[in-house]
């Protein structure tokens, strides 16, 4: 096979260092050809090999009594009882969404759905965590708006066409995400315990089948691109972005599930990042086998494709299947019935070699384990921790907030409700089909989404939280806050948190300060997950989220999944009944220095908060008590509503509880608070953790108070009329019709986009 000689320039173009190339030569005992170099480049990329993160990820807790499939497969799987399980995962599609927002976000949805149904699970819910630069940015505002609109349209298009409800998530704005958007896609599916499938190439002599869409030239070097920072020439990388077809993926889903039920399949793997290369290598590595593949047999939609192109293509809606010998015809017939290609392209063999043939010639002959377990592992240099949460003295920043511009409290509340990070995101989620399959129990906009498990009385709650601002100020403590808020959100709908998936979004790992924050985040997550008994069962690491040397905030996205034993006991956040009692669980501190108030009212940038802000210490044991209390109250059916206090603090949480939702009329509230030595602003807008606003019938007060034992508990008001009135130490601080507040909150994002 005649190929060009490998030069240092070609090695560099493939994202490999000179030392890595020398390691390849040593492993091979010879110079690789171009196709082999391409295979090494994608398998050893940061995106596929986790070469900078593996040494840290092993510190996360991954086991527990409910864990059926821990990290290492396409998705994690946990037991929810009665022989039913849920499979779920979140992963990034950041780089493609920057280059081509619509297709980048759309194929992110497609990829995460395939990860779930590859496990044998039928997807029943999708969510997304989105981060963009400010829409009013003087330089990048137009581009930020374009990226937002393109990503939302792409997510809606793929999910709606595929037929999975998109039922929750988050949208956050910060300067650091200008030209570096984050698109983290989450999916969850239902599967019986005895019908779980794995991505293993087991059984010597078993045939290997290529199924699904034909292979094209789209997405080549997508994995390598996702492992590099961007520059002003980034848009030239548009050909590395895949193009998705959700209608074809729906056919692929049904064909795969039918083939799985037939008993003819031994193993199955999605062709995601690095396409046919990663799927074949990973399947062989998990089984400890070798593979022989003939690329000449691969269905192609373009002529003249080389072995290099076919191996590295990331064309969408494709799977690699290992069938049981003698039953490959059954598999082919099933896929053909669904109008999909299904072709035997190779077989499982003894040994640990991946042998690739094309047009009768050997195009690549590679050791499988060298591509996986023997990939480089780096312990990157780390800076000293500037603010480690272990000691007060180690923290930078005095936590003091400059004086805010003079304005009354009602005006401040209105301004906060109009802040893009707090304002209603209905413009986003109304573009998604939220009710397809009719399992959705809580619509988007709540603390957590809830989906019914129709086969049982149970329901599954899920949410995504990624407080990049908090982590930027204090990585260790901020990571604890992230896990705690996610667990609290799930508990606020009456669900017991049971497991976590994560997507860890960071700038270049070659920066010591980035690796320090990454390591601290891992430690903070581990501590919180241990405290809440929520093992991490799947996830993704996305490095090199930076452009022209400017990186994003360290942003760990936490996907929390919770279990509700009885769907009838679900709680929503809105006040329900005139005359109900309103109470606050938890205590408020002087926690304004890192908050939306500091940003929207005082005018501090995230950089300002990083310089002077201080996060409140979170007591994980107390946080666990709060979650347990909320779950117990829900189980006893004592609560009319529950809502987490987070962005905007107590006043925003109360206002949001007043707003209309799920066809419910808006209701007002009469609130009386004591400042207890705090400023009015801190009392109302501080973002102290471990708090929730609840409402309940007055006759339930004693029982609610009993279940709240061990927690700060204060009756703060009554649901009443259609006006929100808040007094502080007996003096009126806020007075506004709820309809006026809700109109501001509901229209703010659309106004920014107009």
């Amino acid at each position: 096979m005649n190929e060009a000689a490998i030069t240092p320039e070609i090695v560099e173009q493939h994202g490999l260092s000179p030392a890595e190339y020398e390691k390849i030569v040593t492993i091979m005992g010879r110079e690789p050809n171009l196709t082999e170099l391409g295979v090494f480049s994608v398998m050893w990329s940061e995106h596929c090999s986790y070469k900078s993160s593996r040494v840290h990820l092993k510190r996360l807790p991954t086991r527990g009594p409910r864990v059926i499939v821990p990290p290492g497969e396409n998705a994690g799987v946990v037991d929810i009882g009665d022989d039913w399980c849920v499979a779920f995962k979140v992963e990034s599609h950041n780089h493609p969404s920057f280059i081509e927002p619509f297709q980048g976000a759309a194929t992110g949805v497609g990829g995460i759905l395939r990860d779930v149904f590859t496990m044998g699970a039928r997807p029943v819910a999708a969510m997304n965590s989105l981060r963009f630069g400010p829409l009013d940015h003087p330089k990048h505002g137009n581009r930020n708006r374009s990226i937002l609109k393109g990503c939302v349209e792409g997510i809606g298009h793929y999910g709606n066409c595929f037929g999975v409800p998109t039922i929750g998530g988050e949208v956050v704005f910060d300067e650091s995400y200008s030209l570096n958007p984050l698109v983290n896609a989450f999916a969850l599916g239902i599967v019986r315990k005895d019908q779980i499938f794995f991505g293993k190439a087991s059984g010597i002599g078993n045939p290997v089948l290529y199924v699904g869409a034909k292979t094209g030239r789209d997405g080549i070097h997508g994995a390598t691109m996702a492992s590099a920072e961007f520059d002003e020439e980034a848009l030239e990388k548009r050909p590395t972005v895949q193009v998705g077809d959700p209608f074809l993926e729906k056919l692929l889903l049904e064909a795969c599930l039918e083939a799985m039920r037939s008993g003819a399949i031994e193993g199955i793997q999605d062709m995601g990042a690095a396409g046919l290369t990663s799927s074949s290598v990973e399947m062989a590595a998990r089984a400890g086998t070798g593979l022989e593949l003939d690329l000449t047999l691969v269905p192609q939609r373009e002529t003249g494709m080389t072995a290099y192109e076919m191996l590295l293509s990331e064309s969408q809606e494709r799977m690699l299947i290992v069938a049981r010998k003698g039953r490959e015809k059954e598999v082919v017939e099933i896929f053909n019935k669904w109008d999909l290609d299904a072709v035997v392209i190779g077989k499982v063999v003894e040994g640990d070699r991946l042998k690739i043939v094309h047009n009768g010639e050997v195009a690549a002959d590679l050791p499988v384990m060298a591509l996986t377990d023997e990939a480089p592992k780096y312990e990157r240099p780390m800076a000293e921790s500037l603010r480690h949460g272990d000691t007060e003295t180690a923290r930078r920043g005095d936590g003091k907030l400059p004086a805010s511009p003079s304005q009354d409290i009602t005006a401040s509340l209105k301004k906060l409700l109009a802040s893009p990070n707090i304002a209603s995101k209905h413009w986003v989620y109304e573009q998604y089909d939220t009710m397809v399959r009719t399992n959705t129990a809580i619509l988007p906009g709540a603390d957590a989404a809830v989906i019914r498990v129709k086969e049982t009385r149970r329901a599954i709650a899920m949410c995504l939280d990624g407080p990049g601002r908090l982590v930027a100020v204090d990585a260790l403590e901020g990571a604890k806050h992230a896990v705690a808020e996610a667990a609290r959100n799930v508990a606020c709908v009456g669900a017991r948190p049971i497991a976590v998936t994560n997507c860890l979004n960071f700038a270049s790992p070659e920066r010591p300060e980035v690796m320090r924050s990454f390591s601290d985040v891992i430690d903070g997550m581990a501590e919180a997950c241990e405290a809440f008994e929520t093992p991490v069962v799947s996830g993704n690491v996305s490095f090199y989220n930076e452009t022209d040397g400017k990186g994003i905030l360290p942003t760990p996205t936490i996907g929390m999944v919770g279990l509700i034993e009885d769907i009838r006991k679900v709680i929503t956040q809105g006040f329900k009944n005139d005359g109900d009692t309103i109470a606050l669980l938890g205590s408020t501190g002087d926690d304004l220095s890192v908050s939306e108030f500091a940003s929207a009212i005082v005018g501090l940038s995230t950089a300002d908060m990083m310089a002077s802000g201080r996060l409140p210490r979170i007591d994980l044991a107390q946080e666990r008590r709060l979650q347990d209390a909320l779950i117990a109250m829900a189980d006893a059916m004592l609560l009319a509503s529950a809502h987490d206090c987070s962005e905007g603090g107590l006043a925003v949480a109360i206002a949001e509880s007043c707003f209309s939702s799920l066809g419910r009329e808006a209701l007002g509230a009469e609130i009386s608070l004591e400042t207890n030595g705090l400023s009015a602003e801190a009392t109302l807008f501080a973002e102290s953790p471990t708090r929730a606003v609840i409402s309940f019938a007055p006759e339930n007060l004693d029982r609610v108070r009993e279940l709240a034992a061990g927690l700060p508990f204060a009756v703060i008001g009554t649901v009443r009329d259609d006006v929100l009135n808040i007094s502080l130490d007996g003096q009126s601080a806020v007075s506004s019709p709820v309809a006026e507040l809700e109109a501001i909150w509901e229209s703010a994002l659309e106004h920014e986009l107009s």
Side-chain angles (χ1 to χ4, degrees), residues 565-588:
E565 295 287 351
D566 188 338
I567 184 67
R568 297 171 298 177
K569 298 179 178 181
V570 167
I571 310 167
T572 55
Q573 69 185 44
F575 297 145
K576 306 295 189 303
N577 309 298
D578 202 68
D580 274 358
T581 298
I582 303 169
L584 173 64
L585 294 171
S587 57
T588 302

Side-chain angles (χ1 to χ4, degrees), residues 629-649:
L630 287 165
I631 295 163
M633 293 172 190
D635 189 60
M637 302 182 77
L638 296 172
L639 299 182
S641 71
H643 188 23
D644 166 45
C645 290
S646 53
E647 292 85 358

